[in-house]
């Protein structure tokens, strides 16, 4: 059966057979770098297109439909436009920080890619603290946003960045706590262990009510962390025109834009890994026959299917809900989500200790 | 490189800073310019600067004849051009003592109410968009499009109808007018329930609007607010009820008032008004009497010397037309008391102490149309 | 109060003021110097209670300016028009912005378009026109040879 694991393994073996180990490692780094950048470009094109098609479908429109079949090459044209556009740096901005901010943001979203398992055995770095790594690195992107907002020397940008800071710092908490529920159930921070633990069923179904609560909180917090509506206060276009990236144009703006979409992909991939089993096919307990049939679907399709389903849910939110106000946003986190998460983690600890989950 | 002049300045001695909202800003729906004094997220003061599209219609009208000047008023409140024309035509008719045929009166009222629904549809879409939900805008435009098509059939134009002339209406209704209006009302009855499901019941939307931008009854009167803005504060000020024009005194309709005076009350107010407008349309659409649609008038209209004031309930409130005539063919002085101008003056009072996000919601529920304010 | 009652009542209180014959509304001429007191009186007297200033404008009669205040009472459902004659070269009248707050914006508009100076106005600045505008566009003798098209 077709498997990405075999390909990576044979490339790995071939490199180490023909080259000096250090050189082989370097070549592997280069390959991974190229693949990640390719994935970025691919995700940028596909997710932007998906967003536009989903929104047009929800808004009685056709969406882009001129370039290519059903407008599928619209995003390619957009990319070309953004690349050839002048990347303006306004006067009186802090040039270093202004130019550094988009790069920082994009690097952060690249780094989070590392522990994600795209298919069985197809992973950049199976670090033993995978979940911790993700939650630690993802909170770095706020630095880029604050930099952009401060360096722009624009009041709208500053307000947007401050909102974003308050928002991401708060929602980190409940996102982390809901991720912790699964860690408690699995007993490991390693991504591959978490996925392997779901061989007899996904945690969403195995983990009883606490897992479902954690999943809902995770989705809310993930939406907030990626600055998507209804939590898009950082760039609330009806209030702050474009928030922290008001002064950016051309490719620098495109990097923010790309980082936003890649971040959506990353948080959805994490959500899919933790709650929906990552690449693990849909297994039910010990129904050998059923599980065997499910195994025929390639693991990469399972992973991307789940991830894109979650991405669709987040897009669905965006085109349905109005935006919260900043105080309501913080109230929601500190008065509702955080206490529920804390209570939930106690509950799940009891369940895990008593072994009540399936 | 850090320079002292680079950083964002606050007002000396305070933590407050001044920020310009507009003239090009997504939530001002036009070229309104607000100078906000903010302390963090809290709005301390709002100072509207208007005039970016001031065309001085009042001055222009002084050199236009009584038949001509009506057309320039379509450009005031361009979302409710029909009601503007109506007020002007009524003012001329009042001065000349022209009796408008009953058929024309029916048509005018029907068109007024259709305009009201169309305008409120657009408002509903834009308030949802101000609060961050983009989708309702497209839903509202679907229904507004139907009204625009009806308008196009009968008046020949979709936005600036110019359908009212002194003495009646410019042309008879299109043969399919009654049927398409009936179809529209049937369609819209189900769609307005959909609006409620999608937006009104949404907890985020409610929490954005409830208790925001309170305007007490006394303040609403003192600031000269009219229309849904004032009625949401409990002021019974519907011109259609209190100073009935055309055939409004024969129609059975309710004047809706709320007492809360907050943004949510203004929101509910307009949704209820759309329903009430549909009731009015349903009462009239089958009973349009036969007869002339335009009274016989002289070719050149000359208003007698004197002053004439007529008022109409537009979707935004009371539109007054004040004509001072010296007996000639052109008005000596004309003043449009536009509802948006007075409603805007209450914005500062309503917004102080709220957040920036609330400012947008309050502006949305005031339903400001900038050409109407600027004239 | 009906129009006749209102006229009688006002004549009884202010025998000096003249009333216009006919017309749509009861129209009272008030000297500009007394406007402020009359405005307070009209708003606060229980029989009057003109709480709503629904139109405020000015008319340029070439010899003089006339301020026109349209008042309505929500309580008593009666209406009154008050007119004040102003000197064209030195147009000054007390502001009504503290009495009816809607007057603040309307007076700013009249200030820049007619050049009427409102005394004790809280914030008398140009509202519509650019700050460096010269002249009062709605006055009859205003002329802008470039932008105005004569028919």
């Amino acid at each position: 059966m077709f498997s990405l694991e075999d390909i990576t393994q044979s490339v790995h073996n071939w490199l180490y057979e023909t080259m000096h180990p250090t050189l082989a490692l370097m070549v592997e780094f280069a390959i991974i770098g190229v693949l990640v950048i390719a994935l970025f470009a691919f995700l940028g094109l596909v997710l932007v297109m998906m967003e536009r098609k989903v929104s047009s479908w929800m808004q009685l429109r056709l969406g882009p439909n001129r370039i290519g079949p059903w407008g599928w090459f619209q995003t390619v044209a957009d990319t070309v436009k953004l690349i050839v556009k002048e990347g303006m740096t306004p006067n009186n901005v802090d040039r270093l920080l202004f130019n550094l901010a988009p790069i920082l943001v994009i690097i952060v979203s690249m780094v989070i890619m590392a522990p994600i398992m795209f298919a069985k055995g197809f992973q950049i770095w199976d670090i033993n603290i995978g979940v911790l790594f993700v939650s630690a690195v993802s909170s770095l992107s706020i630095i880029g946003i604050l930099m952009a907002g401060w360096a722009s020397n624009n009041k709208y940008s500053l307000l947007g960045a401050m909102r974003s800071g308050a928002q991401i710092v708060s929602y980190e908490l409940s996102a982390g706590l809901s991720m912790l529920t699964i860690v408690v159930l699995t007993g490991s921070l390693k991504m591959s262990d978490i996925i392997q633990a779901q061989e007899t069923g996904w945690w969403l179904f195995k983990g009883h009510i606490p897992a479902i609560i954690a999943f809902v909180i995770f989705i809310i917090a993930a939406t907030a962390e990626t600055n998507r509506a209804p939590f898009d206060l950082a760039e609330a276009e009806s209030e702050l025109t474009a928030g922290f990236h008001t002064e950016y144009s051309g490719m620098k703006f495109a990097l923010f834009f790309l980082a936003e979409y890649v971040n959506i992909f990353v948080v959805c991939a994490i959500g899919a890994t933790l709650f929906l089993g990552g690449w693990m096919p849909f297994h039910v307990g010990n129904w050998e026959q059923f599980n065997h049939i499910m195994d025929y679907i390639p693991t990469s399709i399972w992973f991307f299917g789940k991830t894109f389903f979650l991405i669709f849910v987040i897009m669905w939110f965006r085109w349905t809900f109005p935006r919260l106000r900043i105080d309501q946003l913080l109230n929601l986190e500190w008065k509702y989500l955080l206490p529920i998460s804390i209570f939930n983690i106690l509950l799940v600890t009891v369940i895990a200790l008593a072994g009540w989950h399936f | 490189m850090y320079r002292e002049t680079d950083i964002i300045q606050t007002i000396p001695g305070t933590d407050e800073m001044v920020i310009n909202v507009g003239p090009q800003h997504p939530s001002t729906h036009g070229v309104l310019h607000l100078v906000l004094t903010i302390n963090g997220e809290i709005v301390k003061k709002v100072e509207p600067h208007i005039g970016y599209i001031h065309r001085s219609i009042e001055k222009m009208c002084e050199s236009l004849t009584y038949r001509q000047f009506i057309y320039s008023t379509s450009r005031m409140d361009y979302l409710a051009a029909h009601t503007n024309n109506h007020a002007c035509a009524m003012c001329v008719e009042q001065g000349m003592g022209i009796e408008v045929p009953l058929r024309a009166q029916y048509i005018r009222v029907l068109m007024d109410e259709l305009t009201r629904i169309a305008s409120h549809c657009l408002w509903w879409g834009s308030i949802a968009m101000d609060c961050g939900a983009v989708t309702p805008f497209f839903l509202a435009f679907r229904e507004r499009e139907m009204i625009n098509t009806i308008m196009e059939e009968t008046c020949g134009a979709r936005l600036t109808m110019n359908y009212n002339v002194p003495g009646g209406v410019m042309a008879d209704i299109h043969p399919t007018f009654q049927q398409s209006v009936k179809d529209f009302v049937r369609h819209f009855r189900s769609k307005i329930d959909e609006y409620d499901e999608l937006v009104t019941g949404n907890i985020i939307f409610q929490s954005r609007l409830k208790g925001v931008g309170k305007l007490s009854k006394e303040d609403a009167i003192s600031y000269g607010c009219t229309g849904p803005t004032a009625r949401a504060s409990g002021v019974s000020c519907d011109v259609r009820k209190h100073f009935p024009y055309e055939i409004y005194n024969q129609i059975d309709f309710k004047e809706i008032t709320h007492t809360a005076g907050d943004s949510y009350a203004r929101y509910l107010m307009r949704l209820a008004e759309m329903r009430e407008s549909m009731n009015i349309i349903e009462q009239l659409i089958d009973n349009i009497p036969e007869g002339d649609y335009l009274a016989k008038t002289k070719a050149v209209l000359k208003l007698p010397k004197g002053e004439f004031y007529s008022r109409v309930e537009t979707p935004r409130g009371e539109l007054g037309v004040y004509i001072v005539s010296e007996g000639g063919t052109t008005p000596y002085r004309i003043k449009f008391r536009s509802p948006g101008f007075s409603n805007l003056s209450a914005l500062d009072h309503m917004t102080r102490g709220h957040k920036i996000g609330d400012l947008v919601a309050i502006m949305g529920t005031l339903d400001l149309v900038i050409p109407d304010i600027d004239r | 109060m009906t129009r006749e009652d209102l006229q009688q009542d006002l004549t009884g209180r202010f025998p000096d003021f003249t009333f216009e014959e006919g017309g749509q509304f009861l129209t009272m001429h008030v000297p500009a110097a007394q406007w402020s007191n009359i405005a307070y009186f009209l708003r606060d007297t229980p029989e009057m209670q003109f709480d709503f200033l629904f139109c405020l404008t000015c008319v340029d009669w070439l010899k003089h300016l006339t301020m026109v205040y349209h008042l309505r009472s929500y309580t008593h459902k009666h209406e009154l028009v008050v007119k004040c004659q102003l000197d064209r070269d030195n147009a000054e009248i007390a502001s009504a912005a503290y009495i009816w707050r809607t007057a603040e914006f309307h007076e700013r508009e009249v200030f820049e378009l007619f050049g009427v100076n409102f005394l004790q106005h809280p914030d008398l600045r140009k509202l519509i026109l650019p700050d460096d505008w010269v002249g009062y566009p709605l006055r009859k003798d205003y002329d802008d040879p470039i932008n105005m098209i004569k028919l």
Side-chain angles (χ1 to χ4, degrees):
Chain A
M1 202 179 72
F2 163 78
S3 164
L4 285 168
E5 193 178 11
D6 300 342
I7 302 170
T8 50
Q9 205 57 51
S10 56
V11 170
H12 179 78
N13 291 340
W14 180 78
L15 280 172
Y16 273 81
E17 276 163 21
T18 50
M19 293 178 200
H20 189 268
T22 319
L23 190 64
L25 192 66
M26 289 296 156
V27 173
E28 277 186 353
F29 280 176
I31 293 173
I32 287 166
V34 169
L35 284 180
V36 167
I37 290 170
L39 182 71
F40 255 59
F42 172 77
L43 285 177
L45 297 182
V46 168
L47 289 179
V48 173
M49 195 62 211
M50 179 175 163
E51 172 112 274
R52 295 176 74 167
K53 281 290 181 191
V54 167
S55 67
S56 65
W57 175 54
M58 288 181 181
Q59 297 173 345
L60 324 160
R61 299 187 282 122
L62 288 174
N65 62 349
R66 283 289 178 272
I67 303 170
W70 302 286
W72 277 107
F73 297 133
Q74 178 69 47
T75 43
V76 180
D78 287 347
T79 315
V80 172
K81 184 207 81 174
L82 284 167
I83 289 171
V84 292
K85 213 172 163 185
E86 184 190 356
M88 281 249 300
T89 308
N91 288 339
N92 291 337
V93 301
D94 192 329
R95 275 170 194 276
L96 176 69
L97 294 185
F98 186 81
N99 292 321
L100 192 63
I103 299 169
L104 191 81
V105 169
I106 203 97
I107 287 176
V108 167
S109 38
M110 273 188 184
V111 171
I112 317 179
M113 286 274 179
I116 293 173
M117 220 170 185
F118 294 95
K120 193 180 179 188
F122 193 73
Q123 190 178 18
I124 298 171
W125 188 23
D126 195 7
I127 181 176
N128 60 356
I129 50 160
V131 174
L132 183 64
F133 179 85
V134 166
S135 66
V137 173
S138 67
S139 52
L140 286 179
S141 68
I142 177 60
I143 296 177
I145 290 175
L146 278 175
M147 261 179 167
W150 173 253
S152 295
N153 195 24
N154 178 321
K155 289 164 185 169
Y156 285 120
S157 302
L158 186 65
L159 278 173
M162 289 302 157
R163 282 180 174 192
S164 186
Q167 175 182 338
I168 294 186
V169 167
S170 317
Y171 278 83
E172 280 282 301
L173 289 169
S174 46
L177 285 174
S178 55
M179 274 150 77
L180 216 54
T181 353
I182 301 304
V183 175
V184 168
L185 285 171
T186 313
S188 169
L189 287 162
K190 201 171 177 178
M191 284 288 182
S192 53
D193 286 352
I194 290 172
I195 295 171
Q196 209 55 50
Q198 304 183 62
E199 199 175 4
T200 53
W202 302 344
W203 278 126
L204 186 61
F205 304 123
K206 284 205 303 180
H208 293 298
I209 293 162
I212 294 169
I213 295 173
F215 181 66
V216 171
I217 290 175
F218 181 81
I219 289 289
I220 295 173
T223 319
E225 266 198 78
T226 46
N227 281 335
R228 300 271 302 175
F231 307 104
D232 61 341
L233 283 114
E235 49 207 280
E237 92 274 7
S238 62
E239 293 159 30
L240 303 178
T241 55
F244 63 89
H245 57 66
T246 308
E247 296 285 350
Y248 285 87
S249 65
M251 209 53 210
K252 280 181 232 161
F253 163 73
L255 288 182
F256 276 122
F257 200 58
L258 189 61
E260 181 191 330
Y261 281 97
V262 174
N263 278 336
I264 296 165
F265 175 80
V266 170
V267 294
C268 291
I270 305 285
T273 308
L274 295 176
F275 297 95
L276 303 174
W279 54 262
M280 189 60 76
F282 184 63
H283 285 175
V284 181
N286 47 10
W287 297 5
E288 295 297 333
Q289 221 59 23
F290 177 80
N291 294 351
H292 197 63
I293 294 167
M294 283 295 167
D295 285 341
Y296 274 104
I297 302 170
T299 51
S300 51
I301 290 184
W302 277 109
F303 173 77
F304 281 101
K306 290 167 191 173
T307 308
F308 274 83
F309 171 72
L310 288 185
I311 292 173
F312 170 73
V313 170
I314 284 186
M315 286 180 180
W316 190 3
F317 287 168
R318 169 158 181 186
W319 299 109
T320 313
F321 288 129
R323 185 184 305 121
L324 286 150
R325 208 167 58 208
I326 182 75
D327 56 328
Q328 292 165 349
L329 178 97
L330 297 177
N331 276 352
L332 175 69
E333 164 63 21
W334 293 99
K335 291 189 180 164
Y336 299 98
L337 295 186
L338 188 64
I340 292 172
S341 307
I342 292 172
F343 177 73
N344 196 38
I345 202 146
L346 292 176
L347 196 65
V348 83
T349 315
V350 171
I351 285 179
L353 285 176
W356 286 337
H357 61 86
F358 296 114
Chain B
M1 227 176 3
Y2 176 84
R3 278 169 296 184
E4 190 59 40
T5 51
D6 288 353
I7 57 163
I8 291 163
Q9 302 280 328
T10 54
I11 298 171
T14 62
D15 288 340
E16 294 169 3
M17 63 179 181
V18 175
I19 186 166
N20 284 298
V21 174
Q24 305 295 333
H25 190 273
S27 70
T28 53
H29 305 302
V31 283
L32 178 64
H33 179 189
L34 301 173
V35 178
L36 305 187
T37 308
I38 53 172
N39 185 353
E41 285 274 339
I42 314 273
V43 177
K44 294 285 183 193
K45 194 175 157 202
V46 184
E47 213 180 286
H49 286 210
I50 59 173
Y52 286 88
I53 46 167
H54 192 264
R55 295 138 296 175
S56 204
I57 288 179
E58 291 171 9
K59 183 84 175 173
M60 274 156 56
C61 290
E62 286 175 12
S63 57
L64 295 172
T65 67
Y66 288 113
R67 283 193 195 283
Q68 289 169 335
F69 90 95
I70 295 176
Y71 302 121
S72 61
T73 60
S74 294
R75 278 79 185 168
M76 274 164 34
D77 184 351
Y78 59 93
L79 296 178
H82 199 274
T83 45
N84 295 353
N85 298 344
H86 192 169
C88 299
M90 256 169 49
C91 202
V92 176
E93 282 151 14
Q94 195 184 318
M96 299 278 295
I98 300 169
E99 189 71 26
V100 181
L102 199 59
R103 185 177 174 81
Q105 294 189 17
Y106 269 74
I107 296 171
R108 279 180 174 185
V109 170
L110 274 169
M111 289 294 190
D112 271 7
E113 296 306 320
L114 282 173
T115 308
R116 197 181 315 280
I117 294 176
S119 171
H120 283 351
C121 268
L122 190 118
W123 159 82
W124 180 78
S126 64
I127 175 66
M129 200 151 80
D130 287 341
C131 290
V134 187
T135 306
F137 200 68
F138 292 89
L139 302 184
F141 260 64
R142 174 182 58 191
E143 273 72 64
R144 188 166 171 269
E145 184 64 28
M146 293 178 78
I147 298 181
N148 281 351
T149 312
I150 293 171
M151 293 292 181
E152 192 181 6
E153 276 176 357
T154 296
C155 317
R158 293 161 61 82
L159 216 56
T160 49
M161 274 80 91
N162 299 327
Y163 187 50
N164 284 309
V165 288
V169 292
M170 188 168 266
D172 205 358
I173 50 174
H174 194 266
T176 61
F177 175 78
Q178 277 158 306
Q179 191 52 45
S180 35
V181 169
K182 272 188 249 173
D183 287 348
F184 167 75
V185 171
R186 201 180 315 115
H187 172 81
F188 194 58
R189 281 225 184 267
S190 66
K191 292 301 171 198
I192 197 164
D193 294 336
E194 204 178 84
Y195 289 8
D196 273 343
E197 278 171 37
L198 183 64
V199 170
T200 317
N202 189 312
I203 186 150
I204 301 176
F205 190 74
Q206 288 191 3
S207 59
R208 280 296 299 276
L209 297 188
K210 274 188 183 161
V212 168
K214 281 215 174 187
L215 188 66
S216 68
K217 187 177 177 180
E218 290 70 33
D219 285 335
I221 295 174
S222 180
Y223 276 109
C225 296
T226 45
T229 310
R231 287 200 287 281
S233 301
V235 185
S236 165
C237 63
D238 197 330
V239 179
R240 294 174 293 175
K241 271 277 184 230
H242 295 287
F243 307 96
Y245 49 96
E246 310 294 6
I247 46 160
Y248 274 114
N249 49 6
Q250 300 163 25
I251 304 169
D252 171 36
F253 71 101
K254 288 198 293 288
E255 179 185 3
I256 305 139
T257 50
H258 282 267
T259 47
D262 58 354
S263 293
Y264 192 60
R266 288 192 283 278
Y267 172 85
L268 293 177
M269 187 66 230
R270 287 200 171 85
L271 274 189
E273 253 189 20
M274 285 202 258
R275 292 206 163 86
E276 208 52 49
S277 286
M278 280 194 287
N279 289 342
I280 296 175
I281 290 171
E282 273 178 344
Q283 284 176 42
L284 298 182
I285 190 66
D286 283 326
N287 307 321
I288 302 177
E290 295 297 319
D292 287 338
Y293 56 85
L294 183 60
K296 295 257 183 301
T297 48
K298 289 190 201 117
V300 177
L301 296 179
K302 273 188 185 173
L303 251 66
K305 192 170 157 54
E307 289 164 18
F308 309 98
Y309 187 91
S310 75
R311 52 197 142 196
V312 156
E313 179 77 16
T314 76
R316 266 153 281 281
E318 174 182 329
L319 173 76
V321 177
Y322 174 62
I323 296 182
V324 180
S325 171
E326 278 288 82
T329 56
T330 58
Y332 184 76
R333 163 94 174 106
I334 194 157
K335 156 86 182 171
F336 299 108
R337 183 251 183 247
S338 65
F341 189 72
S342 300
N343 290 355
L344 176 71
S345 64
L347 181 66
D348 182 33
H349 173 75
M350 289 155 83
T351 313
R352 283 189 184 203
H354 285 300
K355 309 254 180 335
I356 296 176
D358 292 332
L359 166 79
V360 174
I362 293 167
M363 270 202 302
T365 49
L366 278 181
D367 196 9
L368 302 174
V369 170
I370 312 306
D372 176 43
I373 294 167
D374 271 358
R375 303 188 301 289
Chain C
M1 244 190 281
T2 62
R3 186 175 162 161
E4 288 74 29
D5 293 343
L6 191 63
Q7 182 166 1
Q8 254 176 8
D9 192 330
L10 286 168
T11 327
R13 289 170 199 258
F14 309 107
D16 303 345
F17 299 168
T18 51
F19 289 88
E20 272 179 30
E21 294 297 316
Q24 192 179 351
F25 302 114
L26 178 65
T27 309
M28 180 166 76
H29 284 266
V30 173
Q34 290 185 43
W35 161 240
S36 182
N37 295 334
I38 299 298
Y40 274 111
F41 163 79
L42 288 175
R43 189 192 65 176
D44 295 335
T45 315
E47 302 93 76
M48 301 290 161
Q49 284 194 12
F50 287 102
D51 46 8
F52 182 31
L53 176 72
F54 62 95
C55 189
L56 185 160
T57 189
C58 182
V59 184
D60 181 14
W61 292 104
L62 288 169
K63 293 185 205 73
H64 57 87
L65 297 171
T66 306
M67 288 296 300
V68 186
Y69 299 87
H70 286 71
L71 299 169
R72 183 191 303 161
S73 164
Y74 273 116
T75 335
H76 300 300
K77 312 278 179 213
H78 52 213
E79 290 173 319
L80 176 71
V81 176
V82 179
K83 287 186 177 175
C84 302
Q85 250 184 43
L86 304 182
D87 184 16
R88 202 154 177 280
D89 300 321
N90 183 26
E92 271 187 352
I93 190 166
S95 166
Y98 290 104
I99 303 160
W100 300 283
R101 279 188 277 190
T102 181
E104 183 181 339
F105 267 41
H106 281 95
E107 284 177 352
R108 278 174 74 178
E109 194 189 357
V110 170
F111 162 70
E112 63 191 333
L113 299 177
F114 285 95
V116 178
N117 192 17
F118 291 93
L119 306 171
Q120 290 104 42
H121 188 280
D123 186 18
L124 199 62
R125 286 176 299 130
K126 285 198 162 72
L127 177 69
I128 291 169
L129 298 173
D131 287 344
D132 53 355
W133 192 275
V134 181
Y136 306 113
L138 277 188
R139 284 197 181 184
K140 286 284 171 185
D141 55 0
Y142 179 80
D143 194 35
D144 182 348
I146 299 164
N147 294 318
M148 271 170 69
I149 299 165
K150 295 272 159 47
L151 290 174

